[in-house]
Amino acid sequence: MTTNIRYKSRIPIKSDETTEEKQYVGFATLPNQVHRKSVKKGFDFTLMVAGESGMGKSTLVNSLFLTDLYKDRKLLNSEERINQTVEIIKHTVDIEEKGVKLKLTIVDTPGFGDAVNNNECWKPITDYIDQQFEQYFRDESGLNRKNIQDNRVHCCLYFIPPFGHGLRPVDVEFMKALHEKVNVVPLIAKADCLTPNEIKKLKDRVREEIERFGIKVYQFPECDSDEDEEFKQLDKELKECCPLAVIGSNTVVETRGQRVRGRLYPWGIVEVENQSHCDFVKLRNMLIRSHMHDLKDVTCDVHYENYRAQCIQDMTSKLTQDNRMESPIPILPLSTPDVETDRLIKMKDEELARMQEMLNKMQQQIHDGKDQ
Amino acid sequence: LSGGVGVDRVPGLGHSGGGSTLLGYIGIDTIIEQMRKKTMKAGFDFNIMIVGHSGLGKSTLVNTLFKSQVSRWSSGWGGEHKIPKTVEIKAVSHVIEEGGVKMKLTVIDTPGFGDQINNENCWDPISKYINEQYEKFLKEEVNIARKKRIPDTRVHCCLYFISPTGHSLRQLDIEFMKHLSRVVNIIPVIAKSDTMTPDEKNEFKHRVRKELETYGIEYYPQNEFDDDMEDKNENDKIREAMPFAVVGSDKEYQVNGKRVLGRKTAWGVVEVENPNHCEFALLRDFLIRSHLQDLKEVTHNIHYETYRARRLNDNGGLHPISVNNTQESNL
């Protein structure tokens, strides 16, 4: 289509055509070009799931992405779990739909909140997120930037148990430890054990507590004024429904002549995709169909930038303390690199040394500015 | 009866298993009726403790069990469910009456259990409370001028609520039950079981039972206290079916023309007393209709006696005290 238009503008235009067509350049097709390029390149998305064991996290992930990521998982019994610490486990899967490729990474956090003493059980998780930022920071400041792997966590689904009366101390502490590092989306898990009234009460309670404790959960962006009414309405409904109450299922049941994902109880059938049963459809639409890109943007523009600014600030404050030429980036243990990456690292280090000199100069300027 | 009554053996009539055969009706069996009348007049005490972290439906279940508002939330609750910083023990008593029988039911709630980030030793206040009740009873018993009927505040039964994760027992569950199953009758129940399908429920129950066995946790009815074969058979059946997966509710709905207690969702009504939906009816029958008295007896004859023996050994014998003196407790 692009080529046609370009070609068209070179053809001598008849005099009775409108002036608009004469002046048509053709860059209105840019979105299409971007679209085509991204489709070729593919997308990636990293989703973290956190919450106690038994909240239905794996089932929900399987339901969202219509996969069975956890097919060979063996559930630990309590004997094996006695000495378990919080682990970070990554599952990666490539999904393709209508020619669009998505590299989906699910970061699982088994062991979270399961012990008797859960003090700081979120530390391995915050460490992991920081590690990904640090890795990206290094890559970004390095030389070979064409193939940067973006492993930063774009969204963290936090599963709140439906059995409580609101947020528990561990929920509050976890979300506060993470809300400035990652987009936190709180969910009410296993919502099929609550009546509609109970869900409403719990949502109100959780919303109120989130505000009271100053937890900065992921905020949906405001609609542009030129969006159509339907989109605005959906957006409004989504905002009012938070936190979303979800149900997942690994089984297909037959109801009203159709086969749907659901759970079969003696008193009825819960359909995962039925909007009057739970908010699963809203979550899926939000996460995948409307806000995936925004989640990535906020991660890049807000959380990562905060990290980066903090990092650089730490670097400069360290320089005022001692003038040694060390690597300014706080080093966290990474996996052992091979020879090729070793060479790249050396090149990057030289680059960093040059950056450091620049920062020195900057700092000097700041000092001079202060003295005035 | 043998020897005391002086009845001559009548030829032709054989011996029955225990004593001699009687020639006339004496009326000894009316003693049962006399006992019944007395106990009815005196009334019963029953003390039930409910343990489990916040939000598992403990208060609702207790209200459903006794078909009255007996939990601590019933009397004019307008407040919030605030999680206390340490485990508190809150006992609320009500007198309920049925068929001429009065029962003073005390529900002992334990808010704060399992709700903190660090729950280490959160069972200590509970253990302390139980032992304090034994101590109180012991002091009364050992008194010179004893009351005719010692007020019984000992915990007869501890309902422990397991969270229906569907996976297995949590560490805290095991620690609690390990520490307390030797001190009090523990009845584990699976709370809010309407979150599991029948298959998930069975798998979960099976796993939980296996884990309890692995850790040597003897829940009530304990194997070792079965009196005879009849008891053993009955209790075996119950032990196999435990822990009961329950649902509680204090609201009624119309189902198939009947009014039932239940929970109404968009896809159906969970009927609390329907055995196909949950095992509430089994729990109620077990706890109240068949084993209520046994719970009290095991508490008195076994748990309390264990405590008493330990105290006497530790103290080198307790001295009987008069009403005016107080003896320090060595807890």
Side-chain angles (χ1 to χ4, degrees), chain A residues 52-56 73 75-84 113-122 162-165 167-170 173 190-198 205 208 212 247 263-271 276-278, chain B residues 53-57 77 80-83 114-121 123 163-172 174-175 191-198 200-201 207 211 214-215 247 251 253 263-271 276-278:
Chain A
E52 293 176 349
S53 136
M55 288 289 107
R73 180 175 71 155
L75 286 176
L76 298 177
N77 61 28
S78 33
E79 213 174 318
E80 290 165 327
R81 285 196 290 167
I82 274 193
N83 293 319
Q84 191 194 41
D114 284 340
V116 176
N117 181 355
N118 290 311
N119 267 337
E120 305 240 310
C121 62
W122 47 84
F163 312 127
H165 296 285
L167 293 177
R168 303 163 301 161
V170 69
E173 290 307 314
K190 291 197 168 176
D192 56 345
C193 80
L194 297 172
T195 64
N197 247 348
E198 289 166 349
R205 189 75 196 267
E208 186 251 330
R212 182 153 40 103
I247 300 168
R263 291 171 62 71
L264 175 63
Y265 288 111
W267 49 87
I269 297 180
V270 181
E271 300 163 48
S276 60
H277 287 189
C278 72
Chain B
H53 64 77
S54 162
L56 285 178
W77 169 51
E80 295 183 353
H81 283 274
K82 267 223 182 73
I83 296 180
D115 287 329
Q116 311 306 327
I117 296 182
N118 181 355
N119 290 310
E120 259 164 17
N121 297 321
W123 49 83
S163 186
T165 58
H167 289 191
S168 60
L169 285 178
R170 311 179 73 212
Q171 271 203 54
L172 182 58
I174 294 175
E175 289 297 310
K192 296 204 167 174
S193 70
D194 56 342
T195 194
M196 295 187 284
T197 62
E200 291 168 352
K201 224 191 296 196
R207 258 199 296 267
E211 290 195 317
T214 311
Y215 285 99
V247 172
K251 295 198 173 62
Y253 294 98
R263 289 169 61 69
K264 185 165 183 178
T265 59
W267 46 88
V269 176
V270 185
E271 297 167 47
N276 288 329
H277 289 192
C278 77

Side-chain angles (χ1 to χ4, degrees), chain A residues 312-329:
Chain A
I312 296 181
Q313 218 176 19
D314 288 343
M315 273 166 19
T316 50
S317 66
K318 213 171 165 216
L319 287 173
T320 56
Q321 288 168 15
D322 58 56
N323 276 324
R324 285 177 291 146
M325 296 287 249
E326 308 181 328
S327 169
I329 297 177

Side-chain angles (χ1 to χ4, degrees), chain B residues 104-279:
Chain B
K104 176 158 164 270
L105 174 72
T106 304
V107 177
I108 302 150
D109 203 348
T110 54
F113 177 84
D115 287 329
Q116 311 306 327
I117 296 182
N118 181 355
N119 290 310
E120 259 164 17
N121 297 321
C122 67
W123 49 83
D124 276 350
I126 296 175
S127 185
K128 186 156 162 283
Y129 176 83
I130 293 175
N131 284 329
E132 273 172 5
Q133 307 318 305
Y134 288 151
E135 181 68 20
K136 239 196 260 185
F137 197 88
L138 183 61
K139 283 220 186 100
E140 282 296 336
E141 233 190 10
V142 145
N143 230 331
I144 295 175
R146 291 204 289 211
K147 293 200 192 122
K148 195 163 90 164
R149 226 184 121 226
I150 303 178
D152 191 359
T153 55
R154 297 169 299 185
V155 178
H156 300 128
C157 163
C158 174
L159 277 186
Y160 185 76
F161 286 69
I162 297 171
S163 186
T165 58
H167 289 191
S168 60
L169 285 178
R170 311 179 73 212
Q171 271 203 54
L172 182 58
D173 301 337
I174 294 175
E175 289 297 310
F176 177 84
M177 288 196 271
K178 249 178 34 188
H179 281 94
L180 269 92
S181 57
R182 299 240 145 248
V183 175
V184 71
N185 294 323
I186 294 191
I187 297 184
V189 292
I190 297 175
K192 296 204 167 174
S193 70
D194 56 342
T195 194
M196 295 187 284
T197 62
D199 287 337
E200 291 168 352
K201 224 191 296 196
N202 287 335
E203 269 184 50
F204 185 51
K205 278 173 68 158
H206 183 73
R207 258 199 296 267
V208 167
R209 255 206 312 280
K210 266 188 69 196
E211 290 195 317
L212 290 174
E213 203 183 301
T214 311
Y215 285 99
I217 294 171
E218 284 263 8
Y219 49 86
Y220 179 86
Q222 297 93 330
N223 252 315
E224 40 186 343
F225 306 148
D226 285 337
D227 285 331
D228 51 34
M229 276 313 286
E230 196 188 320
D231 272 355
K232 187 163 149 48
N233 283 334
E234 196 192 335
N235 286 344
D236 271 347
K237 281 208 215 95
I238 292 174
R239 279 188 285 263
E240 288 294 300
M242 279 174 79
F244 294 121
V246 295
V247 172
S249 170
D250 49 9
K251 295 198 173 62
E252 286 189 336
Y253 294 98
Q254 194 90 344
V255 173
N256 293 336
K258 289 197 316 181
R259 286 196 68 76
V260 289
L261 276 177
R263 289 169 61 69
K264 185 165 183 178
T265 59
W267 46 88
V269 176
V270 185
E271 297 167 47
V272 166
E273 286 171 328
N274 182 336
N276 288 329
H277 289 192
C278 77
E279 295 170 335

Side-chain angles (χ1 to χ4, degrees), chain A residues 342-358:
Chain A
D342 253 341
R343 192 172 61 81
L344 282 174
I345 287 174
K346 275 213 185 66
M347 284 162 69
K348 284 182 200 177
D349 278 343
E350 287 169 19
E351 178 86 331
L352 287 165
R354 276 178 291 214
M355 248 179 72
Q356 202 167 328
E357 268 189 70
M358 269 169 46

